[in-house]
Amino acid sequence: IDSDIYDFIGQDKNGKSFNTQDYRGKYLLIDFAATGCGPCWAGYPELIAETARYDKLEVITFNQDDAIDTWQSIADSRDLKLDWPVLWSGENKKEVFEIYKIEGWPNFFLISPEGKVLDQWMGSGGDHMKFTLNRLVK
């Protein structure tokens, strides 16, 4: 892939901003998701376990919808706590999803410490995620 990341700023449910530029120097896994996405929910436990193995890897989830309360109640009912920011809004959110060509979820982009897109895949984790992280995150 080897193209530059399209940087964006998103806000979590408390309005705290996260800028993808602030992750330079580390690997960044961007998880584009949606509240009603079954595979997203099914994949979170493995995503949590797998990404925790890498010290130099950060994760952000960017939800396409804005059903914060519904998302939180599903997370609570599954006893899920994501160790990374879950973003809900951004001044150019629609544009971000279009630029990344998000047409389904979950959709992952692995970004290098220099801000290059190293890999992109759809579908929750599984072998591709394990293999990719193992191969590319140094």
Side-chain angles (χ1 to χ4, degrees), residues 10 20 44 50 53 67 69 90 113-115 119 128 130:
T20 53
Y44 282 136
E50 203 51 41
R53 296 175 50 223
D69 294 340
E114 298 75 38
D119 198 5
H128 184 92
K130 285 182 182 162

Side-chain angles (χ1 to χ4, degrees), residues 49-63:
E50 203 51 41
T51 56
R53 296 175 50 223
Y54 299 90
D55 291 338
K56 293 184 178 168
L57 177 65
E58 299 286 334
V59 183
I60 53 176
T61 292
F62 202 173
N63 275 315

Side-chain angles (χ1 to χ4, degrees), residues 19-58:
N19 186 335
T20 53
Q21 284 184 335
D22 295 340
Y23 291 89
R24 294 295 191 277
K26 290 195 167 209
Y27 291 87
L28 174 63
L29 185 62
I30 305 173
D31 163 34
F32 289 100
T35 300
C37 164
C40 298
W41 290 106
Y44 282 136
E46 184 182 28
L47 186 61
I48 292 166
E50 203 51 41
T51 56
R53 296 175 50 223
Y54 299 90
D55 291 338
K56 293 184 178 168
L57 177 65
E58 299 286 334

Side-chain angles (χ1 to χ4, degrees), residues 78-92:
R78 292 171 177 249
D79 203 24
L80 268 180
K81 171 138 181 37
L82 300 188
D83 299 329
W84 57 81
V86 178
L87 310 181
W88 294 95
S89 57
E91 63 184 51
N92 57 345

Side-chain angles (χ1 to χ4, degrees), residues 60-127:
I60 53 176
T61 292
F62 202 173
N63 275 315
Q64 188 138 19
D65 55 86
D66 56 7
I68 298 172
D69 294 340
T70 303
W71 189 95
Q72 194 59 60
S73 69
I74 294 171
D76 292 345
S77 74
R78 292 171 177 249
D79 203 24
L80 268 180
K81 171 138 181 37
L82 300 188
D83 299 329
W84 57 81
V86 178
L87 310 181
W88 294 95
S89 57
E91 63 184 51
N92 57 345
K93 178 176 175 175
K94 189 170 188 252
E95 185 185 350
V96 169
F97 277 79
E98 286 170 5
I99 287 169
Y100 279 93
K101 297 180 174 63
I102 306 303
E103 293 171 1
W105 317 276
N107 207 319
F108 296 95
F109 284 80
L110 180 62
I111 312 299
S112 77
E114 298 75 38
K116 298 270 185 216
V117 177
L118 296 174
D119 198 5
Q120 181 269 326
W121 67 93
M122 247 189 90
S124 55
D127 293 338

Side-chain angles (χ1 to χ4, degrees), residues 7-26:
D7 283 306
F8 60 87
I9 299 171
Q11 287 81 35
D12 67 11
K13 67 181 181 184
N14 302 315
K16 183 175 180 196
S17 287
F18 293 86
N19 186 335
T20 53
Q21 284 184 335
D22 295 340
Y23 291 89
R24 294 295 191 277
K26 290 195 167 209

